[in-house]
Amino acid sequence: MSSIIQLLPEHVANQIAAGEVIQRPASAVKELLENAVDAGATKIKLIIKEAGSTLIQVIDNGSGMNAFDARLAFSRHATSKIRNADDLWEIRTMGFRGEALASMAAVARVEMKTRPHSDETGTLIEVEGTEIKRQEPCACQPGTSIAIKNLFYNVPARRNFLKSNTVEIRHIFDEFHRVALAFPAIAFQLFSNDEEIFQLSPGNLKQRIAGIFGATWNEKLLPVQENTDLVSISGFAGKPEFARKTRGEQFFFVNNRYIRNSNLHHAVIAAYEGLIPQGTFPSYFIFFETNPARIDVNIHPTKTEIKFEDERSVYAILRSTIKRSIGAYSLAPQLDFDQNPAFEIPLPPKHVPANAPAPVINPGYDPFKNSGRPDGALKRLSQARWDQLAFIDQEALLLPGASTQENTGTENSIPWLLHGRYILSQVKSGLLIIDIIRAKERILFEKFIAHTAGAGASQQLLFPVVREFSAPDYALIQSIEPELKAMGFSLEPFGTRTMLINGVPPDILEQDAGKVLDQLIEQIHKGGEELKLDTKQAVAAKLAGLLARTGQISSEPSSLIALIEQLFACNTANYSPSGKSTVQILRMDELSARFGKS
Ligand code: ADP
Ligand code: MG
């Protein structure tokens, strides 16, 4: 009687097992990068061709392997790292199952060159469908280079299952970002089709974030830090005003491993509640350090989804930590070298807890609609807004009309225009000084940013303007058309490198339409880099910067009050989009100190 049960041929078994570990090029990238990190490399280079389908190569300057280990590394369950299943999370190395190289060898042609630093020569090994085809000494740099060629060449089903190159490369970048963020002290390079995509020098986390996502990130991040017995949290969260429509840069790491956890994601979102518009998402780069015993071990370690044993507490700690960071940010003045030290906004007393700013989102808000009401317009400011403003002077700030019995009787204090540049107004603690240009920048910026979806308010031109552009300018305009549209520009291609300007943001005078667009393009060219990553922010800031410097403000108290009101209705009233102070308070005690003892 012949048996109906048969053993799978070994190469088939291997391919099946490999499918678990290597699902797409990005999985191979992850495994190779993690091996290089584990090998103690300080420099890691990733080379990709055709989104990884023809080549994935990782070159590191780590420990390297001797000839014996090099061969062994390709056997299944060969690992220099594992202890036992329980301490998987204890292990500070990334790999632990000894399956990655074996799996890759089962579904690709693999070429490895490796050399320990102490040896003169290295080893070359070529493996194809699990079979070692060649092994010989070779000359090579200390460290290891592993090239995965023609991934899935022998598994057509997998190969056909791959998505477009654009999608696969996206996954590769994601894996690269995760490892590069977790190890900012390691230098990383990424080449795709011979083009250098990333060149990341060793540094701290903030520098690494800026290195990956762009220099503008330096001003987008708030430090996050908390140590408790349960968990230590560190990293950065995005400032509320940089929240975006797209789910963008959101990273959790536990003990330096990238993880996902929708519950903790929710904790972060909850911390921003009321501070960012519905449907926008903050960025975050959060690192948890915890005793591995506190991680739910029932969850498979190769999965990125993990749970904490006491997740409710971690949720609460995370939420309040981030809330506190946001609160501290809206309280603390930023470094501003233009600032006259005598005018410095005092920090709140140490013992006063930093409250997160109150909800202030009003999508329908139009800062340039003059309220038409004269004095007392400020009364309309909500209590929440007053609380937020109170950062300027913890107990003493009272603008005209604010609701408190302690009001000093300045109910109708009239703001005053100084040299067309500053608005002066009496407040309870002294003199409030507003920089008009910076205030206008802030107001316009938030207005432009508020139009995230579809077209912003646009003013149709009676006589559309025809404008011809240089090739680079024209290309730039095309690439930022959605942003321009969101800001209120209505443009229409009109022959070669020519655009018809049909409409402009309402804040632009009809006759300035062409000029403003020209200047904006010029500004954006100057800005260069910033544009790549957050086009909308960059375009909005530039346009706000331009428009804030045009037009004159009337010295009519009603228009001054309207401007004050518009400024304090902003999310981040106290800073211009480039982080400079919009307001200062000259306190009574500072003033009397200037006059000296009487
Ligand atoms: P794991 O990482 O789980 O141990 P792998 O299959 O990824 O399993 O690697 C097997 C072994 O090969 C590792 O444990 C390590 O000893 C060795 N190895 C792999 N890549 C490298 C590298 N870049 N440098 C030095 N040793 C490596
Ligand atoms: Mg590994």
Side-chain angles (χ1 to χ4, degrees):
M1 198 172 66
S2 68
S3 166
I4 52 166
I5 298 181
Q6 288 181 11
L7 281 176
L8 287 171
E10 192 193 290
H11 73 275
V12 177
N14 276 333
Q15 284 180 5
I16 293 173
E20 253 189 73
V21 185
I22 307 297
Q23 283 148 0
R24 54 178 4 138
S27 347
V29 166
K30 170 178 191 278
E31 296 294 340
L32 293 176
L33 290 177
E34 291 183 348
N35 280 348
V37 169
D38 285 346
T42 55
K43 275 189 193 160
I44 300 175
K45 183 166 164 182
L46 168 63
I47 301 169
I48 298 295
K49 294 227 162 103
E50 301 297 323
S53 60
T54 54
L55 178 72
I56 300 165
Q57 184 174 15
V58 170
I59 305 170
D60 69 56
N61 65 352
S63 63
M65 284 169 269
N66 64 29
F68 180 80
D69 285 345
R71 188 177 188 111
L72 200 60
F74 286 100
S75 336
R76 198 160 288 282
H77 306 305
T79 173
S80 51
K81 304 164 192 172
I82 190 143
R83 336 281 123 120
N84 69 62
D86 269 355
D87 12 275
L88 288 183
W89 283 89
E90 195 102 50
I91 302 170
R92 289 296 152 152
T93 61
M94 310 300 287
F96 39 76
R97 299 186 308 164
E99 268 183 323
L101 284 182
S103 298
M104 285 183 256
V107 293
R109 300 189 173 92
V110 180
E111 186 186 293
M112 173 159 89
K113 285 182 184 171
T114 183
R115 181 189 138 196
H117 289 245
S118 53
D119 290 5
E120 293 287 300
T121 52
T123 306
L124 166 74
I125 294 188
E126 281 177 25
V127 192
E128 199 174 305
T130 324
E131 256 177 77
I132 308 246
K133 295 270 176 198
R134 192 147 79 111
Q135 167 158 10
E136 60 198 39
C138 76
C140 60
Q141 296 294 314
T144 303
S145 156
I146 301 183
I148 310 293
K149 295 175 177 170
N150 302 330
L151 186 63
F152 302 135
Y153 77 102
N154 54 355
V155 200
R158 265 272 169 222
R159 203 175 171 92
N160 297 336
F161 187 70
L162 291 181
K163 299 268 174 16
S164 71
N165 276 6
T166 335
V167 173
E168 294 302 334
I169 200 101
R170 186 72 253 161
H171 285 289
I172 290 175
F173 286 0
D174 285 347
E175 294 295 353
F176 179 81
H177 291 163
R178 291 166 192 172
V179 179
L181 285 169
F183 299 95
I186 300 177
F188 285 91
Q189 271 180 301
L190 167 54
F191 288 85
S192 170
N193 295 336
D194 295 323
E195 194 193 336
E196 184 182 89
I197 310 287
F198 287 105
Q199 156 95 287
L200 305 170
S201 340
N204 59 28
L205 176 61
K206 194 170 188 186
Q207 291 162 331
R208 180 54 48 95
I209 294 170
I212 296 176
F213 300 109
T216 50
W217 279 77
N218 276 323
E219 59 158 321
K220 294 186 186 175
L221 301 173
L222 302 170
V224 171
Q225 178 74 53
E226 178 64 280
N227 295 312
T228 67
D229 290 344
L230 191 58
V231 66
S232 292
I233 299 177
S234 64
F236 293 95
K239 293 179 185 170
E241 65 266 35
F242 293 106
R244 301 209 272 160
K245 278 265 169 189
T246 49
R247 277 168 177 270
E249 285 66 39
Q250 298 167 336
F251 296 87
F252 286 132
F253 298 85
V254 172
N255 297 350
N256 255 9
R257 265 172 224 275
Y258 171 80
I259 64 134
R260 267 184 243 264
N261 181 313
S262 51
N263 189 28
L264 295 180
H265 171 77
H266 187 266
V268 178
I269 301 299
Y272 283 86
E273 203 185 318
L275 294 172
I276 59 176
Q278 279 282 319
T280 64
F281 303 93
S283 306
Y284 56 83
F285 307 83
I286 303 290
F287 288 72
F288 300 94
E289 282 290 327
T290 187
N291 180 340
R294 297 208 187 263
I295 296 165
D296 195 333
V297 286
N298 291 324
I299 298 211
H300 200 283
T302 55
K303 294 265 161 60
T304 47
E305 258 112 275
I306 73 129
K307 281 196 184 325
F308 286 87
E309 225 166 49
D310 190 355
E311 196 144 302
R312 288 174 75 129
S313 307
V314 178
Y315 181 103
I317 296 168
L318 178 62
R319 178 164 165 262
S320 69
T321 303
I322 293 187
K323 265 194 127 143
R324 203 182 50 222
S325 295
I326 302 171
Y329 152 69
S330 29
L331 284 165
Q334 292 176 344
L335 267 189
D336 182 352
F337 296 107
D338 293 353
Q339 195 164 276
N340 177 342
F343 282 28
E344 205 131 31
I345 296 175
L347 275 166
K350 282 246 157 40
H351 59 273
V352 177
N355 290 317
V360 286
I361 302 305
N362 176 3
Y365 176 71
D366 179 0
F368 279 74
K369 207 168 78 206
N370 194 319
S371 66
R373 272 167 303 102
D375 303 347
L378 286 167
K379 272 186 189 157
R380 272 199 329 152
L381 292 184
S382 65
Q383 189 54 48
R385 178 50 65 186
W386 285 109
D387 292 346
Q388 193 186 353
L389 268 180
F391 75 89
I392 294 178
D393 185 328
Q394 202 64 22
E395 69 245 18
L397 179 78
L398 265 181
L399 286 160
S403 57
T404 307
Q405 292 78 20
E406 285 168 66
N407 200 325
T408 48
T410 56
E411 188 71 24
N412 291 312
S413 159
I414 294 175
W416 196 57
L417 182 66
L418 179 67
H419 290 301
R421 176 70 201 255
Y422 300 100
I423 298 174
L424 310 183
S425 182
Q426 172 177 312
V427 293
K428 192 182 173 197
S429 61
L431 179 64
L432 173 74
I433 305 168
I434 295 178
D435 182 316
I436 292 177
I437 291 185
R438 291 188 190 165
K440 281 166 78 182
E441 268 187 78
R442 165 53 62 187
I443 295 164
L444 286 161
F445 176 75
E446 292 205 2
K447 179 178 155 190
F448 293 142
I449 287 301
H451 301 297
T452 32
S458 178
Q459 145 191 219
Q460 293 304 299
L461 300 184
L462 276 180
F463 304 101
V465 179
V466 180
R467 209 76 174 179
E468 197 188 331
F469 296 93
S470 69
D473 285 1
Y474 191 74
L476 177 66
I477 292 179
Q478 284 181 314
S479 71
I480 60 170
E481 236 221 283
E483 286 77 19
L484 291 173
K485 189 172 166 212
M487 260 138 248
F489 283 99
S490 156
L491 305 172
E492 194 186 312
F494 194 72
T496 330
R497 293 194 271 106
T498 306
M499 284 280 180
L500 194 60
I501 310 177
N502 288 317
V504 291
D507 319 285
I508 299 176
L509 293 177
E510 168 134 21
Q511 66 266 27
D512 291 341
K515 197 176 76 191
V516 170
L517 190 58
D518 287 346
Q519 287 174 345
L520 182 63
I521 299 302
E522 190 195 316
Q523 286 287 314
I524 291 171
H525 273 312
K526 269 196 214 152
E529 270 304 283
E530 307 158 31
L531 200 63
K532 273 198 199 138
L533 290 144
D534 202 333
T535 320
K536 188 168 175 76
Q537 302 275 356
V539 175
K542 300 283 185 222
L543 189 58
L546 270 178
L547 296 183
R549 284 164 178 79
T550 63
Q552 276 188 341
I553 183 155
S554 117
S555 59
E556 274 297 307
S558 64
S559 32
L560 300 181
I561 289 176
L563 194 112
I564 301 178
E565 189 188 34
Q566 289 161 15
L567 175 63
F568 289 133
C570 286
N571 273 331
T572 313
N574 40 323
Y575 299 107
S576 75
S578 50
K580 306 229 161 118
S581 297
T582 54
V583 289
Q584 300 286 348
I585 292 235
L586 181 55
R587 289 198 324 266
M588 293 306 284
D589 54 339
E590 286 170 325
L591 203 53
S592 57
R594 285 184 169 231
F595 283 103
K597 287 208 178 74
S598 37

